[in-house]
Amino acid sequence: MEIIPVLIGWAVLAAILIPLLPGGKIRGIVVYAAAAGMMLLTLFLFGSWLAGGTGTVPLYPQSAAVEYVNNAMLCGEFVLMGLIIILSVRHRKYPVILLSVGQTLLVAWSELFSPVEQTTHMRVDGLAVLMCLIVAFVGGFICVYAVGYMKAYHEHHTEYADRQDFFFSMLFLFLAAMFGLVLSENLVWMYFFWEITSVVSFLLIGYTRTDEAVTNSFRALWMNLLGGFGFAVAIAYLSVTQGTVQLSDVVASGTAIPVALLAFAALTKSAQLPFSSWLLGAMVAPTPSSALLHSATMVKAGVYLLIRLAPALSGTTGGLMVSFIGGFTFIAASMMAIAQNDGKKVLAFSTISNLGLIVACAGIGDEETVWAAVLLMIFHSVAKSMLFQAVGSIENSLGTRDIEAMHGLLLRLPRLTYIMGIGIAGMYLAPFGMLISKWVALRSFVDSNNYLLVIFLAYGSATTMLYWTKWLSKLVSLHHTKEPVRDKTHHDQYLSMFVHAAATLLLCLLFPLVSDRVVEPIVRTLFGSAHEVISMNVLTTMAIMLVSVLFVPTLMFVLTRSTHRDYVPIYMGGVNQGDNTYFTNSFGDPQHLYLSNWYLRFEFGMRRLMRPAVIIAAGVIVVMLCVIIGGAV
């Protein structure tokens, strides 16, 4: 397992090297090579773990070399604190300084004045390997996609300074931190990587340096630092009262206060209410960073930690807090997504909503719900990354990401529409894993007699179906337009999106194997046992999946081929100009027919729902934390 330092170091080396290179082709080649190397090293890690028996492998006990790493991390935490102080003073965001200084000093105090003996600092098991594969492949292909996208982005947005070297450097540093985070068993090490993701996401969100970008980036920073402060308090509490900062010891003991504080940190990182606004604000960043934040990294760090904590959350007040916040976020974000016509905002609300369902499953904390949570995480990572990339490519081609402008896109940008169709189908249609996971979650919520979560899931799924169906219907409408559209998508962007689309289809086709060979072993590792969730015969299930999974792309292909035969000009009280949208009326004046989706903005708009949702969620968290701390005291 000595490959782990090489894997993390490879991504860090790429982050250091890219800004030193000249731009253009050389930088692109280095990005491709760095992404490919990261994927190969992760496959080597996966193979080494398989060869070792697929158990839990503890790594790096206390030693002189490890002590050197500990000291380096402590220095790194002060460097991060110094960077935050400098940028906060420059932009006059002084409250952020208090959060950063407070948590850094708290962790430093626990390290220096209340040290504990560490038996292991990292661990490799099924969940860690799965997360590494998601980070390496989804994150790596996002970097590949970003090469062509960022070139087109700066051709379209000449008002922004071209800082692509900084952008790619931050992408790889982000991925390196994610590798370290998911492999860490020591909470101090995990905290260090956790804070790197917070700071780097702050820098990525503020890439354009506009007033809006700066405001949104600091909102993301202070919300994630608030969670980081909870993380730091948990470390200090554990070092003083428990004499350990091992994550496995925390889960085994189930001590209420540190579990609740770590869960609180995970809620902020996974953008659950009342902290969802930081992820919505991240939309100002270029699409590759949005895809990275929403799919392979950042928000997945939060749900990853909650899945780790799931056995300790089961049947506890902390678990009740987490499951309620997750379920409430699922339905509230789904409702607000209905009112959005900006493609990236719909994807953002969908991300928050789906993360809410994963969080709710982790909060219940039994084998069935964790099975659903892990499967949701897999499908969401791939499908959502693909959707963000497709929307970014459509924006570069159309000059907008307004869903209404995508009417009839199947005839104008067919390849991008195929990709969008597969991604949207993967998010809510049968037989894709998202829908199957929701069914398992619903069944487990009923079995646990948590009828509030049943209501959240039922109505949240209904609203989910509404906004996805509206978007998909827009894309596949048979609409001829006079407005010419040129596909400006580069080959490397298509490579990434095609790989994501193929992965989405394969995950669906191989769903029984994914459940049997990937998800159930993870559940067994976390709980010590796992019963069969899906009892259908594997071959029968795969045959059904094979037929079903080809339905969406086949339907879209047939629609494209038959459109010229089926297209009929309609009469609208005037002379049709050939595309069913422009007419000449009886007075000889031009008329424009415009069809629009129903967005229900008065009923479900952010202005109407966000504030009460934030108040309710914040109130629940404050009350629950007070109950947990008061009960422990």
Side-chain angles (χ1 to χ4, degrees):
M1 291 300 175
E2 296 304 319
I3 191 66
I4 291 176
V6 178
L7 174 61
I8 298 174
W10 178 268
V12 172
L13 179 63
I16 296 173
L17 183 61
I18 287 173
L20 304 178
L21 298 172
K25 292 184 178 180
I26 294 178
R27 181 176 57 212
I29 292 171
V30 172
V31 170
Y32 298 150
M38 196 168 56
M39 297 176 200
L40 291 174
L41 289 170
T42 304
L43 287 176
F44 188 83
L45 171 65
F46 178 51
S48 301
W49 176 71
L50 286 178
T54 70
T56 300
V57 183
L59 298 169
Y60 310 126
Q62 194 70 34
S63 66
V66 169
E67 188 61 30
Y68 175 80
V69 174
N70 283 333
N71 293 333
M73 285 185 176
L74 186 59
C75 294
E77 289 166 10
F78 279 99
V79 170
L80 291 175
M81 182 187 73
L83 176 63
I84 292 172
I85 291 174
I86 292 171
L87 293 176
S88 298
V89 171
R90 179 184 300 172
H91 295 283
R92 299 179 181 179
K93 306 288 185 180
Y94 303 112
V96 176
I97 297 174
L98 297 178
L99 284 172
S100 179
V101 171
Q103 63 192 58
T104 303
L105 293 180
L106 200 57
V107 172
W109 175 85
S110 64
E111 282 281 278
L112 297 174
F113 300 103
S114 185
V116 295
E117 186 67 25
Q118 303 301 317
T119 57
T120 180
H121 289 78
M122 283 190 163
R123 148 266 307 123
V124 178
D125 61 6
L127 183 56
V129 169
L130 172 63
M131 287 297 299
C132 285
L133 290 171
I134 290 174
V135 171
F137 282 86
V138 177
F141 277 110
I142 289 173
C143 292
V144 170
Y145 168 89
V147 174
Y149 176 88
M150 291 303 292
K151 180 181 179 181
Y153 179 84
H154 281 290
E155 289 174 355
H156 182 67
H157 294 286
T158 55
E159 70 273 22
Y160 303 142
D162 189 339
R163 299 192 297 142
Q164 292 187 56
D165 52 352
F166 171 80
F167 185 82
F168 284 104
S169 177
M170 291 299 100
L171 291 185
F172 281 102
L173 183 58
F174 208 140
L175 295 174
M178 279 300 298
F179 285 126
L181 191 154
V182 301
L183 291 166
S184 293
E185 165 67 15
N186 183 314
L187 287 173
V188 176
W189 282 31
M190 182 181 286
Y191 168 83
F192 173 70
F193 294 116
W194 186 279
E195 288 307 290
I196 291 178
T197 63
S198 297
V199 173
V200 175
S201 66
F202 155 72
L203 296 173
L204 284 172
I205 295 170
Y207 174 77
T208 60
R209 294 177 172 173
T210 63
D211 291 341
E212 182 185 13
V214 170
T215 299
N216 291 354
S217 65
F218 272 99
R219 183 190 301 124
L221 182 61
W222 79 256
M223 286 188 176
N224 282 286
L225 287 179
L226 185 63
F229 188 83
F231 205 126
V233 174
I235 291 173
Y237 181 91
L238 286 166
S239 64
V240 172
T241 63
Q242 305 291 320
T244 180
V245 288
Q246 304 292 117
L247 180 58
S248 57
D249 292 340
V250 176
V251 174
S253 66
T255 308
I257 291 180
V259 169
L261 290 172
L262 291 173
F264 171 76
L267 292 176
T268 63
K269 187 73 77 174
S270 54
Q272 298 298 281
L273 286 169
F275 310 108
S276 302
S277 59
W278 78 258
L279 195 60
L280 298 173
M283 294 300 98
V284 299
T287 292
S289 59
S290 299
L292 203 64
L293 293 176
H294 286 251
S295 58
T297 59
M298 196 60 175
V299 292
K300 290 298 185 295
V303 296
Y304 164 79
L305 179 56
L306 287 172
I307 290 172
R308 286 281 182 198
L309 293 172
L313 291 170
S314 178
T316 66
T317 305
L320 183 62
M321 175 187 73
V322 170
S323 61
F324 175 85
I325 292 298
F328 181 69
T329 300
F330 175 69
I331 187 172
S334 293
M335 292 168 68
M336 284 184 276
I338 293 174
Q340 308 303 317
N341 64 299
D342 183 309
K344 285 180 73 171
K345 283 190 177 180
V346 173
L347 296 181
F349 276 109
S350 170
T351 295
I352 294 167
S353 175
N354 283 284
L355 290 172
L357 184 56
I358 300 173
V359 168
C361 290
I364 294 295
D366 62 26
E367 288 94 332
E368 272 190 329
T369 57
V370 171
W371 181 93
V374 174
L375 199 69
L376 282 166
M377 185 173 67
I378 295 171
F379 271 88
H380 182 267
S381 297
V382 179
K384 192 53 65 68
S385 173
M386 176 174 61
L387 285 169
F388 266 106
Q389 293 177 48
V391 169
S393 297
I394 290 170
E395 182 183 8
N396 277 345
S397 298
L398 294 182
T400 178
R401 53 178 185 253
D402 188 342
I403 292 173
E404 294 303 314
M406 300 179 193
H407 189 74
L409 202 65
L410 182 61
L411 304 181
R412 294 185 284 165
L413 298 172
R415 287 192 294 179
L416 288 175
T417 308
Y418 290 147
I419 294 168
M420 283 289 298
I422 293 171
I424 291 175
M427 294 302 297
Y428 85 113
L429 290 180
F432 293 93
M434 294 290 286
L435 186 66
I436 297 173
S437 300
K438 287 180 181 179
W439 172 74
V440 172
L442 179 63
R443 190 178 71 179
S444 61
F445 292 164
V446 172
D447 292 342
S448 64
N449 296 321
N450 198 323
Y451 298 115
L452 185 59
L453 285 184
V454 172
I455 294 172
F456 286 160
L457 179 54
Y459 285 95
S461 297
T463 53
T464 297
M465 183 180 69
L466 177 57
Y467 66 75
W468 283 131
T469 303
K470 286 196 304 178
W471 196 349
L472 186 59
S473 299
K474 270 287 181 183
L475 294 172
V476 301
S477 298
L478 300 183
H479 168 60
H480 289 261
T481 179
K482 295 180 179 180
E483 300 172 1
V485 176
R486 184 173 67 88
D487 190 349
K488 299 179 182 179
T489 308
H490 292 251
H491 294 300
D492 48 11
Q493 293 174 264
Y494 269 124
L495 171 64
S496 176
M497 289 186 285
F498 284 152
V499 169
H500 279 79
T504 301
L505 297 175
L506 283 174
L507 283 171
C508 179
L509 174 62
L510 302 176
F511 171 81
L513 294 179
V514 173
S515 173
D516 183 59
R517 304 293 178 83
V518 178
V519 182
E520 289 186 10
I522 289 173
V523 176
R524 195 173 296 114
T525 300
L526 292 172
F527 290 92
S529 64
H531 63 274
E532 190 177 29
V533 178
I534 301 295
S535 59
M536 293 176 65
N537 178 271
V538 171
L539 292 178
T540 303
T541 306
M542 289 181 65
I544 296 172
M545 295 288 188
L546 178 60
V547 174
S548 302
V549 78
L550 297 176
F551 176 75
V552 173
T554 302
L555 176 63
M556 296 174 71
F557 179 79
V558 170
L559 284 172
T560 307
R561 291 296 180 182
S562 65
T563 181
H564 296 287
R565 184 184 70 243
D566 299 337
Y567 185 80
V568 177
I570 60 176
Y571 178 73
M572 289 292 294
V575 179
N576 194 311
Q577 296 299 314
D579 65 353
N580 285 343
T581 58
Y582 288 94
F583 301 85
T584 301
N585 64 22
S586 57
F587 294 99
D589 298 325
Q591 294 288 330
H592 183 205
L593 172 67
Y594 184 75
L595 300 177
S596 174
N597 276 317
W598 190 21
Y599 288 98
L600 298 165
R601 287 192 173 89
F602 178 78
E603 293 82 2
F604 298 126
M606 281 184 63
R607 292 183 179 180
R608 190 171 185 86
L609 295 184
M610 181 59 82
R611 178 169 293 182
V614 167
I615 293 172
I616 292 171
V620 169
I621 289 177
V622 170
V623 170
M624 289 293 190
L625 287 177
C626 290
V627 169
I628 293 168
I629 295 172
V633 173

